[in-house]
């Protein structure tokens, strides 16, 4: 089965279209003000509206209020929600949309328990734990911490680049990989050449 790809932290329409042209399955739009990749609803709606069919739009939140999520859902098309904070399963599931739960992995993280706790999630997105940021850190975590048998599909994130993604896929065999900083020329500004190299490495 092929490994699917999400390009996250998209802030510009040209980057979204470049990602799709190179074969990305999904794009991620960040609705978290402290992030340098945060977009306004107007920005995100314009990007979402211009995408071709069969490309998933993922809206990323960190401990949002209901009002914040509903404001996005009211004003644009979203296929999947992604929760990157300390949200409970009930908080993630309350919008009636499929969702991903991001887990920031460190040495004592019980991923088996997380899979049971978030049974309603479509997948668990595994990212590096950092005290400095909740995501997009560019840091790789120890892939050996991922159990071989998980009750949920795995989306691997955290410091993936065109140089290491092939090894990551061979070791972890995730359902999908998620990249942001690894295909950027600056935070929030993607690099079409790096996207192409990343997709080639995944497909290779």
């Amino acid at each position: 089965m092929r490994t699917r790809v999400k390009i996250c932290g998209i802030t510009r329409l040209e980057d979204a279209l470049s990602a799709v042209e190179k074969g990305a399955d999904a794009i991620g739009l960040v609705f978290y003000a402290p992030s340098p990749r945060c977009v306004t609803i107007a920005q995100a709606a314009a990007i979402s509206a211009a995408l071709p069919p069969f490309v998933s739009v993922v809206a990323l939140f960190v401990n949002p209020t209901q009002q914040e999520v509903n404001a996005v859902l009211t004003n644009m098309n979203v296929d999947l929600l992604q929760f990157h904070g300390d949200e409970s399963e009930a908080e993630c599931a309350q919008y009636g949309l499929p969702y991903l739960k991001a887990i920031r992995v460190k040495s004592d993280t019980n991923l088996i328990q997380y899979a049971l706790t978030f049974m309603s999630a479509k997948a668990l997105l595994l990212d590096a734990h950092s005290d400095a940021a909740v995501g997009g850190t560019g840091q790789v975590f120890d892939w050996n911490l991922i159990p071989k048998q998980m009750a949920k599909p795995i989306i691997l994130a955290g410091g993936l680049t065109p140089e290491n993604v092939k090894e990551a896929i061979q070791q972890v065999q995730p359902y999908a990989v998620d990249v942001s900083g690894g295909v950027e020329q600056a935070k929030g500004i993607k690099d079409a050449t790096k996207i192409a190299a990343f997709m080639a490495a995944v497909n290779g």
Side-chain angles (χ1 to χ4, degrees):
M1 192 174 79
R2 75 178 180 88
T3 307
R4 286 157 174 79
V5 177
K6 170 169 160 265
I7 310 280
C8 200
I10 296 281
T11 63
R12 306 187 304 172
L13 176 57
E14 59 261 42
D15 293 341
L17 296 178
S18 173
V20 172
E21 179 191 330
K22 304 294 189 295
D25 300 277
I27 64 149
L29 301 167
V30 177
F31 297 95
Y32 177 57
S35 171
R37 303 175 180 95
C38 185
V39 287
T40 65
I41 293 176
Q43 270 179 295
I47 293 169
S48 174
L51 292 174
F54 306 124
V55 177
S56 297
V57 175
V58 184
L60 186 156
F61 299 92
V62 182
N63 298 323
T65 64
Q66 276 185 298
Q67 289 85 348
E68 287 170 329
V69 177
N70 285 330
V72 172
L73 298 182
T74 300
N75 287 284
M76 61 176 286
N77 175 61
V78 172
D79 300 298
L80 269 166
L81 299 173
Q82 178 176 326
F83 293 101
H84 232 285
D86 306 308
E87 303 89 359
S88 68
E89 185 190 31
E91 287 170 326
C92 295
Q94 65 184 319
Y95 303 99
L97 274 180
Y99 74 90
L100 312 174
K101 183 67 182 83
I103 312 297
R104 290 143 63 202
V105 181
K106 48 185 180 177
S107 59
D108 61 350
T109 302
N110 187 338
L111 290 173
I112 299 288
Q113 184 57 53
Y114 270 112
L116 294 173
T117 301
F118 289 92
M119 280 303 288
S120 61
K122 284 292 180 185
L124 296 183
L125 185 144
L126 306 185
D127 201 353
H129 183 276
S130 167
D131 292 326
V134 294
T137 62
Q139 296 175 5
V140 177
F141 67 93
D142 181 0
W143 301 325
N144 291 312
L145 295 171
I146 305 171
K148 291 299 180 199
Q149 298 297 324
M150 291 282 291
K152 284 280 158 197
I154 293 300
I155 300 170
L156 185 64
L160 296 179
T161 66
E163 291 72 35
N164 69 10
V165 70
K166 183 176 181 180
E167 180 190 352
I169 290 170
Q170 288 172 338
Q171 180 173 333
V172 179
Q173 299 183 341
Y175 173 78
V177 290
D178 187 318
V179 65
S180 185
V183 293
E184 286 181 336
Q185 49 182 286
K187 288 188 186 296
I189 307 298
K190 304 306 184 200
D191 184 312
T193 303
K194 289 181 180 178
I195 292 175
F198 188 89
M199 295 302 304
V202 171
N203 295 326

